[in-house]
Amino acid sequence: MTDSKAQVICLDGPSGVGKGTICLAVARDLDWHILDSGSLYRITALQVLRQFPDSGTDSIKVTQLAEIAKNLSVTYTEKDGQLMIVLDGEDVTQSIRTEQMGAKASEIAAIPEVRTALLQRQRAFLQPPGLVADGRDMGTVVFPDAELKIYLTASAEERAQRRYKQLKEKGIDVNLASLVEELRQRDERDMNRKTAPLKPASDAIIIDTTTLDIEQVTKEVMFWVNQRITR
Ligand code: C5P
């Protein structure tokens, strides 16, 4: 299943906890590959919205949704030190980041057939020397034998505040209360779905980042990386 020459670090946790930033910092430090598994669910959501613009997820056949997930023609490259995501030749790096796409992704991520359709694709990211994988079920389902599993958490209010600040800095006007509400809804769906719900693996190290800044979280994560990973 996993390439024996490649090691894995799993970073799981709820939306807006800063996994992406930490993942990049760790991958840079080790010079390892990255898997942003949420982007695969977001890209699937984008394709579903494009192919079925007027249909709710419930009214689309599960086999059709799984087929879309299985046949994504997506490539990940690096551009100016950032991850660039190209779907059928189109740069979708920004367009999949909207709250709408996050909510739609969370809806379709609750469908077991969609998750199965994306499983091998996620595992294929594991290449030597190693992979830093960011998601909800990296440590519980996708890479159960990972060398290091970290579960990041923070209160919904704190995560919403961070997101609010980011969006404000980009000049995007948002309402803090609705951000908190959206995060709560997404947590609720991700934690309570039947297949691969968001939860820490039994052997994960749990870090509550509510009162920590990004440097402090990175330092804590790197402490565990240095304990567990052979460079
Ligand atoms: O991490 P991100 O916010 O991009 O993920 C979008 C949605 O995709 C999540 O809310 C979750 O429902 C789903 N997801 C998942 N399993 C993963 C990664 C993301 O179910 N490993």
Side-chain angles (χ1 to χ4, degrees):
M1 184 183 67
T2 50
D3 185 330
S4 59
K5 293 188 297 297
Q7 304 176 81
V8 191
I9 298 173
C10 298
L11 281 172
D12 287 302
S15 309
V17 78
K19 296 182 304 269
T21 312
I22 303 291
C23 199
L24 255 169
V26 175
R28 286 227 173 98
D29 191 88
L30 294 167
D31 204 12
W32 280 14
H33 303 281
I34 280 190
L35 166 60
D36 168 7
S37 61
S39 69
L40 288 170
Y41 290 93
R42 287 172 181 267
I43 294 162
T44 307
L46 178 69
Q47 283 290 55
V48 170
L49 280 169
R50 284 183 174 170
Q51 291 192 23
F52 300 95
D54 304 316
S55 314
T57 309
D58 288 353
S59 61
I60 308 168
K61 279 195 189 134
V62 163
T63 47
Q64 285 178 306
L65 294 171
E67 204 55 26
I68 291 177
K70 206 168 165 189
N71 294 317
L72 295 176
S73 170
V74 58
T75 52
Y76 290 78
T77 46
E78 223 186 286
K79 190 183 168 196
D80 307 327
Q82 297 293 322
L83 199 65
M84 184 168 124
I85 306 173
V86 178
L87 175 68
D88 287 324
E90 175 192 351
D91 180 355
V92 295
T93 318
Q94 299 305 327
S95 52
I96 59 165
R97 293 289 153 209
T98 62
E99 300 302 319
Q100 184 209 10
M101 219 56 81
K104 189 82 181 170
S106 156
E107 244 177 74
I108 59 160
I111 301 166
E113 289 82 351
V114 169
R115 305 197 70 84
T116 306
L118 292 176
L119 195 57
Q120 286 315 321
R121 191 188 287 265
Q122 294 176 79
R123 288 186 176 150
F125 277 77
L126 181 53
Q127 300 285 336
L131 178 71
V132 189
D134 157 348
R136 306 289 188 291
D137 62 340
M138 298 296 99
T140 51
V141 176
V142 183
F143 302 110
D145 304 327
E147 278 71 18
L148 174 62
K149 299 176 187 176
I150 292 190
Y151 187 89
L152 297 177
T153 176
S155 69
E157 288 76 12
E158 174 59 26
R159 286 180 282 131
Q161 280 282 1
R162 292 177 190 167
R163 179 99 182 109
Y164 180 75
K165 235 180 104 192
Q166 272 177 358
L167 292 171
K168 278 269 167 191
E169 279 165 12
K170 284 188 192 162
I172 302 169
D173 206 21
V174 280
N175 177 287
L176 182 60
S178 63
L179 273 183
V180 176
E181 188 45 38
E182 276 164 18
L183 275 180
R184 284 228 169 88
Q185 280 177 14
R186 196 122 73 89
D187 286 358
E188 168 78 18
R189 200 183 293 124
D190 289 350
M191 287 172 172
N192 294 313
R193 66 182 175 221
K194 289 210 175 72
T195 311
L198 170 65
K199 64 169 184 198
S202 56
D203 51 350
I205 290 149
I206 301 176
I207 305 175
D208 186 342
T209 74
T210 306
T211 60
L212 304 179
D213 64 25
I214 202 76
E215 281 78 25
Q216 291 169 312
V217 182
T218 310
K219 212 170 146 198
E220 176 84 14
V221 171
M222 286 311 299
F223 168 81
W224 288 106
V225 169
N226 292 325
Q227 294 276 316
R228 298 275 181 88
I229 299 298
T230 324
R231 291 183 190 242

